[in-house]
Amino acid sequence: MSSDASAMSNSNALVLFPNTSSNSSMSCSASLHQLPPMPPPKSTPPLQTKMIEWDDVYKVIEAVMPLYVAILMGYLSVRLWKIFTPVQCEAINLFVSFFTQPFFTLEFTLHTDPFSMNFPIIAADAISKVIIVAVLFAWAKFAAKGSYEWAITNFSLANLTSPLIVGVPMVRSMYGQFAQEIVVQLSVVQSLVWLTLLLFVLELRKSNNEVTPFSPTNDSSSSIDDGSKTLNDIEKIVASEDLNVEKPLVCALMKRVMRKLMVNPNSYACFIDIIWACIAKRYNFEMPKIIEECVLILSKAGLGMSMFSLGLFMGSQKKLVACGASLFFHGLALKFVVGPIAMAIGSFLVGLRGDLLRIAIIQAVVPLSTTSFIYAHAYGLHPQVLSTAIIFGMFTCLPIFMAYYFILKLVP
């Protein structure tokens, strides 16, 4: 009787709770399947190389065409309409150099996040520039035809670019939004570090020449071996018995240079930029609207006035290619061959591969920085060469971009 009751009890339990163990496992499995998937770990978004379409080409032309218009208006203002005199052209260039250009730099740097930069590609860019500097210094120091002045100009031709003007629309059409962010970061580093160093070297050269009774000329007929080793000019003058020039101390010369840099608005713009960007991103500050508008009103004039000043300078020259054919091809070779090769070496040394490597090399093909011409014009160091490189570099950059793009697609 007890066994029958036990059996009936077990039977009732099976009826009330059929397949308890299997149902439990099935419900657990179902609940696991119903859980939301774990979010993927945050990492660098994958880059996808895409074919350049006609719309992308049009966007590049759309970004570059207003620059040509500004250059043309400046060129015609001097060559055809005779509106500006040489003295007025010089005043316009000084206005661009000391007023509008600093605000143009200020606008882009203020909104940069210094804590989220792609440091490997920045390191590759720094290595490429150090390589160029080392080669040029050795050439100027030891070669029979070496020249420190031409070393400065060659560095600008090979390494300094206009990323915000041409680079951003071009790489965005090739590699997407992430590539654009990289180019903007490299532009910020160029403004803060390399253009500031260029300004320092130009001020050093100017102060050095001021303590000598002569200054090397930079006429349009000069060739690649023209110019003197200006950093050694003082020692040469002291060695001469006919000239009563005292040898200044190095610290005194550096003090003259630093004093001039302290009153240069471009120096202020660079340091204000990075200090504000660090504080704002660290504590989530927003720039007051009234201050941002004050920056924008002159920043918008900065790019247009830079190109207009370039057109004024070209119009004041006797020939369109003011530097001559040999220096013209010399500048193109430095810009479109030497610069990308140095960037490729730096990229391989830091281990860049894939699309990051392609972006690094492509951005090195971007035409010459307009700021370098503004500085060269203001300090009288081969402005003919730089102006020609900028204008013809912008005309030829699109087919060269396309050639590099298809060649780099073959790189694994």
Side-chain angles (χ1 to χ4, degrees), residues 61-310:
I61 298 175
E62 189 178 47
V64 175
M65 186 57 66
L67 308 180
Y68 292 141
V69 173
I71 293 174
L72 180 63
M73 296 301 292
Y75 181 84
L76 295 178
S77 296
V78 174
R79 183 56 65 91
L80 181 63
W81 301 322
K82 312 293 183 183
I83 297 176
F84 301 106
T85 65
V87 175
Q88 292 170 335
C89 293
E90 189 67 25
I92 292 174
N93 184 72
L94 290 176
F95 170 73
V96 173
S97 178
F98 293 104
F99 285 94
T100 61
Q101 191 66 39
F103 282 96
F104 180 71
T105 303
L106 195 67
E107 178 191 354
F108 286 95
T109 313
L110 287 177
H111 302 286
T112 302
D113 187 357
F115 305 106
S116 63
M117 288 191 170
N118 191 305
F119 291 103
I121 202 168
I122 292 175
D125 180 66
I127 291 173
S128 69
K129 287 178 169 58
V130 170
I131 291 173
I132 295 294
V133 169
V135 172
L136 290 175
F137 179 80
W139 170 74
K141 183 71 174 178
F142 302 108
K145 297 182 179 181
S147 166
Y148 287 111
E149 291 191 342
W150 275 106
I152 297 172
T153 301
N154 289 337
F155 172 80
S156 298
L157 289 170
N159 283 123
L160 301 180
T161 63
S162 293
L164 299 178
I165 300 172
V166 182
V168 165
M170 198 72 234
V171 300
R172 182 177 57 228
S173 65
M174 292 177 176
Y175 302 103
Q177 181 67 26
F178 181 68
Q180 174 183 325
E181 296 174 1
I182 291 177
V183 173
V184 172
Q185 292 173 9
L186 290 174
S187 172
V188 171
V189 174
Q190 175 177 278
S191 298
L192 293 177
V193 179
W194 302 107
L195 288 177
T196 302
L197 289 177
L198 175 63
L199 190 62
F200 173 81
V201 172
L202 291 173
E203 278 290 356
L204 181 63
R205 168 187 171 271
K206 182 181 178 182
S207 299
N208 185 30
N209 288 339
E210 286 175 354
V211 299
T212 63
F214 67 93
S215 177
T217 58
N218 298 319
D219 57 0
S220 60
S221 61
S222 63
S223 60
I224 190 65
D225 58 346
D226 286 344
S228 59
K229 301 182 180 182
T230 58
L231 295 182
N232 295 329
D233 282 344
I234 299 176
E235 296 178 0
K236 294 179 182 179
I237 297 302
V238 172
S240 176
E241 298 179 355
D242 298 330
L243 298 175
N244 298 321
V245 179
E246 295 183 359
K247 181 179 180 180
L249 296 175
V250 175
C251 60
L253 184 60
M254 295 296 293
K255 186 176 180 179
R256 295 178 64 173
V257 172
M258 296 306 298
R259 185 183 295 115
K260 292 181 180 180
L261 287 177
M262 289 177 63
V263 298
N264 193 313
N266 291 282
S267 301
Y268 283 112
C270 292
F271 290 107
I272 291 174
D273 286 351
I274 192 62
I275 292 173
W276 170 260
C278 291
I279 295 175
K281 297 301 180 182
R282 176 64 179 82
Y283 298 103
N284 296 322
F285 287 161
E286 290 291 338
M287 177 173 288
K289 187 69 174 179
I290 187 172
I291 298 180
E292 187 170 6
E293 290 298 326
C294 292
V295 173
L296 285 176
I297 194 170
L298 281 174
S299 172
K300 291 179 179 179
L303 180 57
M305 287 300 299
S306 297
M307 306 312 293
F308 185 80
S309 177
L310 178 60

Side-chain angles (χ1 to χ4, degrees), residues 278-357:
C278 291
I279 295 175
K281 297 301 180 182
R282 176 64 179 82
Y283 298 103
N284 296 322
F285 287 161
E286 290 291 338
M287 177 173 288
K289 187 69 174 179
I290 187 172
I291 298 180
E292 187 170 6
E293 290 298 326
C294 292
V295 173
L296 285 176
I297 194 170
L298 281 174
S299 172
K300 291 179 179 179
L303 180 57
M305 287 300 299
S306 297
M307 306 312 293
F308 185 80
S309 177
L310 178 60
L312 291 177
F313 180 79
M314 294 299 295
S316 63
Q317 305 300 306
K318 295 180 180 179
K319 298 183 296 183
L320 184 62
V321 183
C323 63
S326 60
L327 289 179
F328 166 71
F329 289 108
H330 171 79
L332 291 183
L334 285 174
K335 177 71 262 175
F336 296 123
V337 179
V338 176
I341 289 176
M343 190 64 193
I345 295 173
S347 300
F348 278 114
L349 289 178
V350 300
L352 295 184
R353 297 294 184 270
D355 280 342
L356 277 178
L357 172 64

Side-chain angles (χ1 to χ4, degrees), residues 369-404:
S369 169
T370 56
T371 306
S372 62
F373 164 75
I374 296 298
Y375 288 173
H377 192 190
Y379 288 90
L381 183 63
H382 309 136
Q384 300 90 346
V385 178
L386 297 182
S387 62
T388 304
I390 290 174
I391 292 178
F392 287 94
M394 287 188 176
F395 277 114
T396 58
C397 68
L398 188 57
I400 294 175
F401 264 125
M402 301 293 292
Y404 268 96

